[in-house]
Amino acid sequence: MDPDTAADFTVENVEKALHQLYYDPNIENKNLAQKWLMQAQVSPQAWQFCWVLLRPEKVPEIQYFGASALHTKISRYWGDIPAEQYDTLKTQLFSQIARFASGSKIVLTRLCVALASLALNMMPEAWPAAVSEMVHMFQEEGGEVDGRARCLALLELLTVLPEEFQTSRLPQYRKGQVRGALGREWTAVYPLLQQLLRQPDSPSLVKARVLKCLSSWVLLDVPLNESEGLVEASFTALADPELFDTAVEAIVNTISQPDSQRYVNTLLKLVPQVLQLQEQLRDAVQNGDMETSHGICRIAVSLGENHSRALLEQVEHWQGFLALVNMIMFCTGIPGHYPVNETTSSLTLTFWYTLQDDIMSFEAEKQAVYLQVYRPVYFQLVDVLLHKAQFPTDEEYASWSSDEKEQFRIYRVDISDTLMYVYEMLGAELLSNLYDKLGRLLTNTEQTTTWQHTEALLYGFQSIAETIDVNYSDVIPGLIGLIPRININNVQLADTVMFTIGALAEWLADHPVMLSSVLPLVLQALGNPDLSVSSVSTLKKICRECKYDLPPYATNIVAVSQEVLIKQIHKTSQCMWLMQALGFLLSALPVEEILRNLHSLITPYIQQLEKLAEETPNPSNKLAIIHILGLLSNLFTTLDITKQEEESGESAPPIKSAPPQTGPNPVVVVLQQVFALIQTVLSKWLNDSQVVEAVCAIFEKSVKTLLHDFAPMVSQLSEMLGQMYSTIPQASALDLTRQMVHIFASETNHFPPIKALFELVTSVTLTIFQQGPRDHPDIVDSFMQLQAQGLKRKPDLFLSESLDVKAVFHCGVLSLKFPEAPTVKSTCLFFTELIPHCADIPSVGQVVQEDGKLLLLAVLEAIGGQSSRSLMDQFAEVLFSLNKHCFALLTVWLKEALRSPGFPSSRVSDEQKNTFSQQVLRERVNKRRVKDIVKEFTLVCRGLHGTEYAADY
């Protein structure tokens, strides 16, 4: 079939194309046929061929296409159908449906969808009682079609009708009318469904279709009290295994309708019906019937979750609701391990949040009454959740798939979040409760306890301590005292012990005497690769929070850390965390001790790096180099002795302060020692961006941490950066230059090297712009940020003869047109820093006067639709800056620029452009207002004004 011959949409050709689509092995032929058939379906000839394709002698695939073509014509090209043909079309469709009632199911469904579409387009004026007529037509005796087939066809039609409404393309005002009309027709549907569902001799297939039909109609917000009898009959249907699933869907869909909370009396009648399912639920659990227990649980949860507020308020029925809550509790604690033996308990967790929110939202007096009833329930919930969070036996856990283990991990995180939420209601008593249980467990000599039980209780503690300030809890000292008593014979238990200690790091900082109980456990765990994440993150937390109390333990911590680093026990990211931990630790020691520790810690790596620097570059030694540079970066990120002086001010207790430091900063000492080595590494790896990035990261982290203490390195680092960037320009070198400018440009004695570096990287980057910057958006982005930083920290940099301000300005205008949003943002920032200097830097004043209009044109193009809408605030800032500092020039430029027809968009009129111009020029103080004006104008330029897109903006 050639799709270009859109001519011959005859029955024969359609059949040929369908044959090709279904049976031709060549995929290209199939695609061509598909394309041609789609054109055929929407062609005027479709009206002729669709009825022929539906003839009884045709095969179902061909009949299906005929029915689909009918639906397409009715749903998408309704306007093409003359009103006088509506009734004929209706009659034809009715007779086709009657004929296919005992024919192909897929064709019947398509025909029902077509008639549904016809009904929706005709309602309510042209076909006022559409649904009643459908029911009446199919209930009439007659024809050769048997009653059961006719009944099923009617149910199919009634089921697809609300579904077709949900997906229909009716205009908004019609949707409202049709929804109302359909709602009124429920009175014709309800008795039919009720009768079929309650009739003892109705076959299961018919009842299942009735339930599906109910599910479909409740989407139209049918009032709950008007479907009460059907819901009751659906509950009865739950006893029939063949109907169970569809009955669950029907009940859940009905209960979950947002509108149903208005019908409190009906909801109250539903509570006992749900409670009656408890026996069936218990039997299902006992027999391992997961489908049944899951379905019943869904019903209980949907009633509880959607209507807890309404049911709580019915005080005289409190016992019924409490029984429902207990039924949901049974579902939360359903026997078996999630997700292997059960998948139900996770459904219930949101209910507990909802119930708690509803109780806590009552005013104090009412809340107190409810808390009397529900606090014990929530304490029971904690027990149930911790039981569910327990690991299975080691043998059982070993048999789980990795997917099951991951699902279980996520499930435990959900439990942890729930416990944290429940703490808001139960408060400190919850911690005492957990502590008592743990104490009894660990001190009970008569009974042997499983590690799973201990782990779950600790996990409960950790869940709360991680996010809630437990410093005021009186049970934490006891807990810390219990931890060493735990017989840690299992990885999962050890992990939880570690994470619990980590969660208590802030508490340990206030109670340093307890460090000696837990630190040995952490250091011991460091040597176990299975505990890598938990032990390293815990040590890092302790070193960060408690560093001023750790000097007595420092030698030991460094020794153990060195040992595990040399043995390569941990993966890269954990090694980096460990270095950060050591940085925190060393920060609190006297300088000579820091230097001694640094020497022993770093020497092995320096020796390794020296060897690697001599080797010919290859992928494996590249990874080793990046790893060593990363270790140094992470160590220097947190090694900050300046914090000691701040801490030892009056606000901090004297015991916390470390002795004041003298002499050069230890980090600088180390950097100076390894500087030549780093230069050697660079010389071999200069064209590898990852190695250059790793080198720059060492200095960038050090500069950020040391600030002015980095001063002794400024001169040599500036020189090295200049050489690096001149040879092979990379964004990381510009970012490091920006840090240096930020900290040292305004210091007189450091200005000369910084100025020389700034000018050098500027001139090298200008060459990149001449050669074509599109391949280097990252360099352009970093360059613009550097220029903005220079203007902000030391505008004198732009007074230099050696700096080509005009060229930098033009590069900025070019960069505004880049497709990468970060680059454009940085460029806008550059211009908002540059424009205010029109008056005090002659070269800036000159370039803005001569070429400022080019900048304005670029800004207007972006607003007109060339740039992403998310960047409009940044462009508005540039416009505001021009208005504030170059008002007279902007007035002229705006007038000239907006005079061009179709600029900045063909969608805006001269009047709209004029309004925009006046609004902008009026705002020289209120930046927020200019942003709103630009947002408004960009929507008009893009043809989005007043659309749903604009609403999200």
Side-chain angles (χ1 to χ4, degrees):
M1 279 290 135
D2 181 1
D4 297 333
T5 59
D8 266 352
F9 295 128
T10 61
V11 173
E12 296 72 32
N13 285 345
V14 169
E15 291 195 28
K16 267 188 212 161
L18 283 165
H19 191 274
Q20 202 169 311
L21 179 67
Y22 285 113
Y23 304 110
D24 193 319
N26 184 323
I27 192 77
E28 276 187 35
N29 291 348
K30 281 181 184 292
N31 290 341
L32 282 172
Q34 170 97 359
K35 206 170 174 187
W36 187 88
L37 285 163
M38 284 168 79
Q39 290 178 332
Q41 219 173 14
V42 300
S43 69
Q45 294 92 312
W47 285 119
Q48 280 74 52
F49 69 64
C50 60
W51 301 109
V52 182
L53 297 178
L54 282 164
R55 285 182 183 161
E57 69 274 12
K58 304 290 181 189
V59 293
E61 291 91 336
I62 288 173
Q63 295 172 329
Y64 179 81
F65 183 76
S68 284
L70 261 174
H71 173 243
T72 303
K73 296 298 282 182
I74 294 168
S75 62
R76 287 168 54 188
Y77 300 95
W78 177 252
D80 299 350
I81 307 174
E84 60 272 14
Q85 283 184 23
Y86 292 172
D87 283 342
T88 321
L89 192 52
K90 190 195 335 177
T91 311
Q92 282 176 300
L93 277 168
F94 267 127
S95 67
Q96 288 289 350
I97 289 172
R99 203 163 55 72
F100 276 94
S102 44
S104 164
K105 171 80 172 69
I106 56 164
V107 181
L108 172 67
T109 301
R110 285 326 282 161
L111 287 167
C112 287
V113 172
L115 181 57
S117 187
L118 180 83
L120 295 173
N121 278 298
M122 289 173 70
M123 290 167 82
E125 298 84 4
W127 192 0
V131 181
S132 310
E133 191 177 322
M134 290 172 188
V135 173
H136 179 66
M137 289 284 287
F138 283 92
Q139 280 182 328
E140 281 182 353
E141 292 298 325
E144 60 287 1
V145 184
D146 74 348
R148 183 175 158 192
R150 263 204 334 274
C151 174
L152 287 170
L154 172 60
L155 288 171
E156 184 64 26
L157 178 57
L158 293 176
T159 304
V160 299
L161 189 61
E163 289 168 1
E164 179 67 6
F165 172 75
Q166 303 296 341
T167 56
S168 68
R169 299 172 173 223
L170 295 170
Q172 211 49 48
Y173 78 96
R174 285 271 300 131
K175 269 206 152 171
Q177 288 178 342
V178 175
R179 179 188 278 274
L182 279 172
R184 290 190 291 279
E185 294 269 24
W186 176 239
T187 49
V189 179
Y190 178 79
L192 169 76
L193 299 184
Q194 178 87 318
Q195 181 196 346
L196 290 171
L197 203 51
R198 291 207 159 151
Q199 235 165 286
D201 57 345
S202 277
S204 280
L205 186 59
V206 170
K207 287 183 174 178
R209 291 287 167 79
V210 168
L211 292 165
K212 275 193 175 149
C213 190
L214 170 61
S215 272
S216 180
W217 275 79
V218 295
L219 295 173
L220 297 170
D221 288 336
V222 172
L224 184 63
N225 60 347
E226 288 179 21
S227 52
E228 208 175 286
L230 267 178
V231 179
E232 210 170 294
S234 304
F235 271 98
T236 311
L238 289 169
D240 181 341
E242 282 184 50
L243 299 177
F244 183 81
D245 288 345
T246 28
V248 169
E249 287 305 322
I251 294 167
V252 168
N253 287 338
T254 311
I255 292 174
S256 308
Q257 277 311 307
D259 192 50
S260 55
Q261 57 199 27
R262 293 177 19 214
Y263 305 97
V264 179
N265 288 336
T266 307
L267 291 173
L268 286 170
K269 288 180 198 168
L270 290 178
V271 175
Q273 293 183 55
V274 174
L275 294 175
Q276 274 171 1
L277 300 173
Q278 286 182 96
E279 195 179 336
Q280 193 180 352
L281 173 63
R282 287 206 168 82
D283 290 347
V285 169
Q286 213 162 1
N287 302 325
D289 177 356
M290 280 164 75
E291 274 77 23
T292 302
S293 53
H294 197 80
I296 294 174
C297 169
R298 279 183 64 202
I299 293 172
V301 168
S302 67
L303 182 59
E305 204 173 292
N306 289 294
H307 306 294
S308 67
R309 177 99 199 187
L311 293 169
L312 275 170
E313 304 232 305
Q314 305 306 305
V315 184
E316 64 280 18
H317 297 277
W318 70 273
Q319 282 159 309
F321 183 60
L322 182 58
L324 177 68
V325 170
N326 284 322
M327 182 177 176
I328 296 173
M329 179 80 79
F330 174 80
C331 296
T332 305
I334 208 157
H337 285 288
Y338 181 94
V340 177
N341 323 104
E342 63 92 6
T343 53
T344 299
S345 57
S346 61
L347 298 179
T348 64
L349 297 180
T350 328
F351 163 74
W352 298 108
Y353 284 81
T354 310
L355 178 60
Q356 180 175 326
D357 284 345
D358 288 336
I359 292 170
M360 301 309 274
S361 68
F362 289 133
E363 38 82 28
E365 209 171 306
K366 193 173 181 183
Q367 190 187 105
V369 176
Y370 280 98
L371 283 175
Q372 265 184 319
V373 176
Y374 284 100
R375 266 177 74 89
V377 172
Y378 272 83
F379 273 114
Q380 187 193 344
L381 173 68
V382 171
D383 290 346
V384 168
L385 289 175
L386 290 177
H387 181 71
K388 292 298 292 181
Q390 281 187 29
F391 278 87
T393 61
D394 295 338
E395 301 76 45
E396 199 181 328
Y397 190 64
S399 72
W400 285 12
S401 70
S402 57
D403 187 44
E404 286 166 340
K405 287 176 179 173
E406 177 58 10
Q407 282 186 47
F408 181 58
R409 186 191 68 77
I410 294 167
Y411 174 67
R412 277 174 48 105
V413 171
D414 292 341
I415 286 179
S416 173
D417 292 344
T418 312
L419 289 171
M420 192 181 76
Y421 205 74
V422 167
Y423 180 84
E424 287 181 33
M425 183 196 261
L426 302 181
E429 198 183 330
L430 171 54
L431 288 176
S432 310
N433 184 296
L434 290 175
Y435 172 65
D436 292 344
K437 287 196 171 77
L438 189 63
R440 281 201 298 277
L441 205 62
L442 295 174
T443 52
N444 185 346
T445 46
E446 276 132 58
Q447 230 178 338
T448 52
T449 57
T450 62
W451 69 263
Q452 287 90 341
H453 200 163
T454 309
E455 190 278 336
L457 283 168
L458 270 182
Y459 184 69
F461 255 114
Q462 177 211 324
S463 303
I464 294 159
E466 244 171 359
T467 40
I468 284 153
D469 181 5
V470 292
N471 276 9
Y472 305 103
S473 166
D474 52 2
V475 301
I476 305 297
L479 171 66
I480 299 265
L482 284 175
I483 285 176
R485 298 185 67 145
I486 297 171
N487 175 22
I488 302 177
N489 53 2
N490 171 282
V491 169
Q492 282 90 7
L493 175 58
D495 250 340
T496 303
V497 169
M498 281 304 112
F499 284 126
T500 306
I501 295 170
L504 296 170
E506 282 184 44
W507 184 91
L508 286 165
D510 290 337
H511 306 83
V513 69
M514 303 301 274
L515 275 167
S516 57
S517 322
V518 291
L519 205 51
L521 290 173
V522 179
L523 294 178
Q524 190 187 344
L526 271 187
N528 184 342
D530 292 333
L531 304 178
S532 183
V533 174
S534 59
S535 62
V536 175
S537 68
T538 296
L539 182 64
K540 183 180 159 185
K541 282 181 181 171
I542 289 175
C543 288
R544 187 182 62 214
E545 301 299 334
C546 314
K547 62 182 173 189
Y548 297 112
D549 303 298
L550 290 177
Y553 310 98
T555 316
N556 199 6
I557 294 173
V558 173
V560 173
S561 302
Q562 257 182 298
E563 190 186 336
V564 299
L565 284 166
I566 289 163
K567 286 183 180 169
Q568 297 184 333
I569 282 174
H570 302 287
K571 289 185 180 158
T572 302
S573 51
Q574 275 71 54
C575 292
M576 301 305 157
W577 291 359
L578 190 49
M579 278 301 204
Q580 288 181 21
L582 293 172
F584 286 126
L585 173 75
L586 298 181
S587 303
L589 301 178
V591 168
E592 51 282 8
E593 276 188 48
I594 296 178
L595 285 168
R596 195 175 65 247
N597 279 297
L598 278 178
H599 180 73
S600 69
L601 193 58
I602 290 174
T603 305
Y605 293 110
I606 302 304
Q607 289 166 350
Q608 211 180 331
L609 196 57
E610 281 167 348
K611 268 200 207 120
L612 291 164
E614 288 164 18
E615 293 175 14
T616 314
N618 68 54
S620 72
N621 60 21
K622 170 184 163 173
L623 285 177
I625 288 171
I626 289 175
H627 181 76
I628 292 171
L629 295 173
L631 291 175
L632 295 176
S633 287
N634 280 281
L635 179 62
F636 298 156
T637 303
T638 53
L639 208 174
D640 185 5
I641 60 173
T642 55
K643 287 275 179 6
Q644 299 183 347
E645 287 138 39
E646 292 164 27
E647 297 268 356
S648 60
E650 284 173 32
S651 61
I655 47 162
K656 291 273 164 161
S657 65
Q661 309 289 354
T662 52
N665 188 295
V667 173
V668 173
V669 175
V670 173
L671 284 176
Q672 283 173 328
Q673 286 168 359
V674 298
F675 197 79
L677 173 58
I678 287 175
Q679 278 181 305
T680 313
V681 171
L682 260 184
S683 63
K684 285 206 177 169
W685 291 90
L686 203 48
N687 56 0
D688 188 297
S689 63
Q690 288 171 300
V691 175
V692 172
E693 224 166 274
V695 168
C696 289
I698 288 186
F699 292 106
E700 195 176 346
K701 300 275 171 62
S702 307
V703 171
K704 273 184 177 167
T705 310
L706 302 183
L707 301 172
H708 297 287
D709 278 0
F710 189 81
M713 301 284 305
V714 170
S715 184
Q716 59 193 124
L717 182 57
S718 299
E719 195 180 330
M720 184 178 95
L721 269 176
Q723 289 165 356
M724 271 166 63
Y725 195 73
S726 309
T727 318
I728 295 179
Q730 297 196 13
S732 50
L734 288 174
D735 295 335
L736 179 49
T737 305
R738 188 177 84 245
Q739 284 293 334
M740 303 269 284
V741 168
H742 175 65
I743 294 163
F744 296 107
S746 44
E747 293 191 7
T748 319
N749 50 339
H750 295 303
F751 184 61
I754 296 285
K755 176 174 180 280
L757 175 61
F758 187 80
E759 286 169 8
L760 177 63
V761 297
T762 300
S763 110
V764 172
T765 312
L766 292 177
T767 316
I768 295 176
F769 269 93
Q770 284 161 6
Q771 293 160 356
R774 269 306 299 119
D775 299 336
H776 308 285
D778 56 337
I779 289 182
V780 175
D781 182 358
S782 296
F783 178 65
M784 287 298 152
Q785 288 187 51
L786 169 63
Q787 296 296 317
Q789 186 68 268
L791 285 158
K792 196 172 185 173
R793 300 296 292 181
K794 192 69 175 169
D796 292 10
L797 288 165
F798 284 74
L799 292 168
S800 165
E801 297 281 315
S802 319
L803 196 83
D804 189 343
V805 176
K806 190 181 180 81
V808 174
F809 182 91
H810 281 273
C811 291
V813 173
L814 199 61
S815 309
L816 283 179
K817 300 177 185 184
F818 270 44
E820 291 82 6
T823 306
V824 178
K825 269 187 184 171
S826 303
T827 310
C828 288
L829 175 68
F830 160 65
F831 280 118
T832 52
E833 291 292 349
L834 181 85
I835 296 163
H837 290 291
C838 283
D840 58 10
I841 301 176
S843 55
V844 173
Q846 188 181 344
V847 72
V848 171
Q849 185 142 17
E850 290 170 9
D851 298 323
K853 187 178 172 187
L854 291 175
L855 170 61
L856 175 69
L857 289 170
V859 169
L860 290 174
E861 266 174 36
I863 295 169
Q866 291 299 313
S867 275
S868 157
R869 273 165 46 209
S870 64
L871 294 165
M872 288 307 113
D873 276 1
Q874 281 76 16
F875 283 108
E877 298 218 4
V878 178
L879 205 51
F880 178 74
S881 199
L882 282 168
N883 197 25
K884 192 171 179 181
H885 301 282
C886 321
F887 177 70
L889 291 168
L890 182 65
T891 312
V892 178
W893 294 336
L894 261 177
K895 198 172 185 180
E896 290 171 2
L898 294 173
R899 200 179 290 147
S900 311
F903 182 84
S905 158
S906 53
R907 293 192 179 91
V908 283
S909 64
D910 289 342
E911 190 186 341
Q912 286 168 319
K913 289 200 269 191
N914 195 25
T915 307
F916 169 70
S917 176
Q918 286 174 350
Q919 285 178 323
V920 168
L921 292 168
R922 203 178 296 136
E923 294 298 340
R924 297 181 65 189
V925 180
N926 188 342
K927 194 191 292 182
R928 180 74 260 153
R929 177 77 189 106
V930 176
K931 288 181 178 177
D932 291 341
I933 293 163
V934 167
K935 277 185 182 173
E936 189 83 8
F937 189 60
T938 198
L939 289 171
V940 177
C941 289
R942 294 163 199 260
L944 296 174
H945 202 262
T947 64
E948 59 194 283
Y949 294 105
D952 301 336
Y953 191 29

